[in-house]
Amino acid sequence: MPISSSTTTSGRLLALLSMLQVRRDWPGPQLAQRLGVSERTVRRDVDRLRELGYLIRAVKGPDGGYQLDAGSQVPPLLFDEEQAIALVVALRIAVGAGAGIEEAAVRALATVRQVLPSRLRHRVDTLEITAVESTGRGGDPQVDIELLLAVSSAIRACEELRFDYRSPGREDGQAQQPRRVQPHHLVIRAGRWYLVGWSAEREDWRIHRVDRMALRVPNGPRFTPRQVPGGDVVTFLSARFKGSDSVNAWPCQGEVVLGLPVTEVAPFAGDGVAEAVGPTRTRLTTGSWSWASLAARLARFDAEIEVVGPPPLREAFTELARRAARAGGTT
């Protein structure tokens, strides 16, 4: 009998905790009805959860009720199956996030995995995520987690950030002029963390690599947030990396027909559009920073290239051919 009672109580506590997590507050009578117990039992169960470290506040009112608040310590957590799997995936991705939390993420992953039911553990063990270092750049720089938290806090509080910024090519010890930015978004792209913010001094949006920032304290004055151009930070950032201030498109775009089947072109088309025009011919529309770089990018394909347009791309191929001839010593 005691075992049965204990099992029933434990299951009811988990059900109560799950209900408190999905709503801001619950009237006591409604909780009692959902759990199939008396209001007195609900009060006792709430007291048990409080002893476990959960901060549950009593809500005053005609019906009374309870509200789950954040406490001063981390209590035992309850996740459903989808949440548990999402947590494992997020932790495995965090190992390669470049935020200086790799070791903590590995330990947290081991802790979560240990308490998962065997069937869930088997499912998550089949998921293999490998962080691959970006080629050509060396290792991606690590960002101090405290720096990320400080920047995030300033964004949330709408407080201006003051920081020294190490530009490319400068040594750590070289003096930098402090910068002042209204921070709006913290973004990770290709393994690197970026701050998107508004510079009142330059009256323009600026993008800074967080690993090059050294914050100054205290933060500056509060500000009223403004909207990122276009309203979407992902599109805005993509446009800026393509050299555009407004449109998310390469400044130089061209169209060619390659003497290759589309199956051999599409995997290397990047953000371009590859369309089959025959069994061994593919129309490719793509772009780049300049006409010269676009011609060089297209020349990577080991195939005949027919330039559809525009004329500047054809001229870029002509100049590229001259340079190649000089490099080969034929002119």
Side-chain angles (χ1 to χ4, degrees):
M1 184 69 178
I3 295 179
S4 175
S5 176
S6 176
T7 302
T8 302
T9 301
S10 299
R12 193 175 63 246
L13 286 176
L14 290 176
L16 174 59
L17 180 57
S18 179
M19 294 170 66
L20 289 172
Q21 287 177 333
V22 298
R23 272 183 52 174
R24 182 169 177 81
D25 59 71
W26 282 88
Q30 191 173 354
L31 282 176
Q33 182 181 8
R34 288 288 191 95
L35 296 172
V37 297
S38 66
E39 292 184 45
R40 181 178 181 183
T41 300
V42 170
R43 288 194 295 270
R44 289 178 176 176
D45 288 347
V46 167
D47 288 338
R48 291 189 180 100
L49 289 176
R50 287 168 174 164
E51 291 174 359
L52 291 174
Y54 292 96
L55 184 59
I56 302 175
R57 181 163 56 89
V59 180
K60 295 181 180 181
D63 296 326
Y66 302 95
Q67 183 178 95
L68 181 63
D69 289 339
S72 59
Q73 58 184 352
V74 180
L77 300 177
L78 175 67
F79 299 103
D80 60 30
E81 292 188 7
E82 291 184 352
Q83 290 174 324
I85 294 174
L87 181 60
V88 171
V89 172
L91 286 171
R92 290 193 172 177
I93 294 175
V95 173
I101 58 173
E102 290 76 10
E103 183 181 350
V106 169
R107 289 189 285 110
L109 182 59
T111 300
V112 173
R113 183 188 178 280
Q114 185 177 2
V115 299
L116 287 177
S118 58
R119 56 188 175 81
L120 278 186
R121 190 182 308 122
H122 175 71
R123 290 185 64 189
V124 300
D125 284 347
T126 62
L127 177 65
E128 294 294 336
I129 299 176
T130 302
V132 180
E133 185 176 287
S134 300
T135 58
R137 297 188 318 197
D140 286 323
Q142 294 292 300
V143 179
D144 185 358
I145 186 62
E146 294 299 327
L147 176 57
L148 291 176
L149 291 174
V151 173
S152 297
S153 177
I155 293 174
R156 186 178 183 84
C158 297
E159 293 178 347
E160 185 182 70
L161 278 177
R162 304 186 306 121
F163 57 91
D164 294 326
Y165 191 71
R166 189 180 73 255
S167 300
R170 286 182 176 266
E171 300 297 331
D172 291 347
Q174 289 182 292
Q176 300 280 330
Q177 182 177 358
R179 303 195 182 186
R180 305 175 70 96
V181 170
Q182 296 176 2
H184 284 261
H185 293 84
L186 191 60
V187 185
I188 184 169
R189 182 181 189 271
R192 289 179 175 172
W193 291 88
Y194 296 90
L195 170 66
V196 178
W198 172 263
S199 172
E201 296 176 343
R202 305 196 180 198
E203 297 185 345
D204 193 12
W205 290 91
R206 288 291 185 264
I207 300 171
H208 296 90
R209 271 182 41 183
V210 180
D211 61 285
R212 294 175 176 166
M213 295 170 52
L215 296 185
R216 290 174 169 242
V217 292
N219 291 339
R222 294 176 62 88
F223 62 90
T224 301
R226 62 185 67 210
Q227 190 178 59
V228 171
D232 180 56
V233 67
V234 175
T235 302
F236 168 76
L237 192 66
S238 178
R240 281 297 177 96
F241 274 96
K242 291 175 181 175
S244 172
D245 290 333
S246 55
V247 181
N248 184 21
W250 293 108
C252 299
Q253 298 186 67
E255 180 180 340
V256 298
V257 175
L258 301 173
L260 288 172
V262 69
T263 54
E264 296 184 26
V265 175
F268 307 100
D271 58 357
V273 177
E275 177 187 3
V277 293
T280 60
R281 287 164 58 83
T282 300
R283 178 182 290 106
L284 177 62
T285 304
T286 186
S288 189
W289 289 88
S290 65
W291 295 112
S293 64
L294 180 56
R297 179 181 177 185
L298 292 169
R300 297 179 306 162
F301 292 97
D302 187 14
E304 292 296 320
I305 303 175
E306 175 188 336
V307 178
V308 178
L313 178 57
R314 188 173 289 104
E315 296 169 4
F317 269 110
T318 301
E319 179 59 27
L320 182 63
R322 294 194 190 101
R323 293 177 183 175
R326 288 195 295 269
T330 58
T331 58

